[in-house]
Amino acid sequence: MILQANAKINIGLRIIGKRADGYHDLETCFHEIPWHDDLELQTSTHLTMISNSVEAPADDSNLCLRAARLLQKAAGVTTGASIALQKNIPVGAGLGGGSSDAAAVLRGLNLLWNLNLSSSELRSLGADLGADVAFFIDGGSAYATGRGEILEHCLFAIPYWMVVAVPPVHVSTAWAYGNLKQKSGYAARKLKTIVTEQLHDRKIFSADVVNDFEPSVFEAYPLIQQTKRTLILSGATFALMSGSGSSVFGFFENELSSRRAAASFDTTVRIFIAPPQELP
């Protein structure tokens, strides 16, 4: 079985406050993009894995193996599987590649092992591994609250050419939360309303769709700030860091401007370009 595991971007990321349990409440819009890893699953007597990337080693730290073991235990499965991962999405870039891989394993093994678990059941298992994993079970677009695990799927398409730029920097999510410069006060409207209804209004969108991690991350990692600045100077109508970084995405009015922006980066920056989307 061959599967593709897509990346995501965060269109806006508001940190609402710290909870009593130590986690943070947040508000974001997850949006799946077609930059993908490739996985091959086959039935086997044991659970085994290989990976083409030293940054995504095939050991117990890999979410793919953890997802397979979790599903195996939850469903009482004795059959194993071999997992082969072709890593294309940059690791630690705020694009959710590892979570997407884990979600693909849950979906794929559900079919391969004939478990017939529902999407809701798979999301519940995925949430045990991380909020992003639960999102990727269905993918698409979703408004997320709580720790990111409360998902409200919604339909919207990005009508712009998109450039995703990933500089050679890794930002620890734990560090980003620990060094967060908390804001006070937000737009009265939910982020979902702004993203789904004001995507064409550059002024409103740029004012209200923010990533609260940017100030502290940009201070510590100026290369990420420079990446965003380069996208804007290259003609992006909107640019924002995704997650806790290091990826930054920009929206462009046409293909020519998007490709010119991409060409303005040196070879150390990984680039992904996507055309405008249409609603399914």
Side-chain angles (χ1 to χ4, degrees):
M1 178 184 294
I2 305 295
L3 300 169
Q4 291 183 344
N6 287 342
K8 60 80 183 168
I9 55 172
N10 295 81
I11 305 182
L13 207 171
R14 299 172 175 174
I15 308 300
I16 308 303
K18 194 168 185 177
R19 299 154 37 136
D21 61 7
Y23 290 99
H24 288 75
D25 281 317
L26 58 83
E27 184 186 21
T28 190
C29 283
F30 292 124
H31 187 70
E32 194 174 2
I33 62 173
W35 196 353
H36 62 82
D37 292 337
D38 297 297
L39 293 107
E40 183 176 359
L41 307 180
Q42 295 182 358
T43 55
S44 179
T45 55
H46 300 88
L47 279 177
T48 60
M49 181 178 175
I50 58 173
S51 170
N52 73 319
S53 172
V54 295
E55 292 185 300
D59 57 26
D60 289 339
S61 69
N62 196 295
L63 277 176
C64 290
L65 274 178
R66 290 168 59 190
R69 291 196 176 108
L70 181 65
L71 182 60
Q72 197 178 44
K73 181 178 179 180
V77 173
T78 57
T79 307
S82 62
I83 304 168
L85 172 63
Q86 175 75 35
K87 196 71 186 161
N88 305 310
I89 302 168
V91 174
L95 297 171
S99 297
S100 186
D101 296 339
V105 167
L106 290 175
R107 295 195 314 269
L109 292 182
N110 185 43
L111 295 173
L112 201 64
W113 290 341
N114 298 310
L115 301 180
N116 297 313
L117 297 180
S118 66
S119 290
S120 177
E121 290 171 308
L122 292 177
R123 283 196 302 272
S124 180
L125 287 172
D128 289 341
L129 298 167
D132 287 6
V133 181
F135 161 70
F136 279 116
I137 294 297
D138 295 306
S141 304
Y143 173 63
T145 53
R147 292 188 292 114
E149 84 283 9
I150 303 172
L151 299 169
E152 181 184 342
H153 282 269
C154 51
L155 278 177
F156 67 88
I158 297 176
Y160 302 102
W161 281 83
M162 182 194 307
V163 176
V164 182
V166 185
V169 177
H170 173 70
V171 182
S172 161
T173 300
W175 178 93
Y177 274 107
N179 290 272
L180 182 68
K181 296 182 177 180
Q182 187 66 49
K183 288 179 59 176
S184 60
Y186 292 92
R189 289 176 302 168
K190 292 195 303 185
L191 186 61
K192 176 192 172 186
T193 303
I194 300 167
V195 171
T196 57
E197 297 181 8
Q198 304 292 336
L199 197 52
H200 291 276
D201 192 319
R202 178 177 178 178
K203 184 176 180 180
I204 292 176
F205 203 77
S206 295
D208 291 340
V209 179
V210 298
N211 183 333
D212 285 346
F213 284 123
E214 283 191 347
S216 54
V217 169
F218 285 177
E219 183 178 323
Y221 301 94
L223 183 57
I224 303 176
Q225 183 177 32
Q226 181 57 47
T227 300
K228 179 177 179 178
R229 185 179 295 117
T230 298
L231 289 172
I232 292 172
L233 292 175
S234 298
T237 62
F238 175 78
L240 197 71
M241 187 175 74
S242 182
S244 58
S246 59
S247 63
V248 182
F249 62 90
F251 295 159
F252 292 83
E253 294 286 355
N254 54 64
E255 180 179 6
L256 180 60
S257 61
S258 70
R259 297 200 179 278
R260 282 177 174 169
S264 66
F265 293 99
D266 64 37
T267 56
T268 65
V269 179
R270 295 189 63 180
I271 297 293
F272 176 77
I273 302 175
Q277 300 172 320
E278 295 181 0
L279 288 174

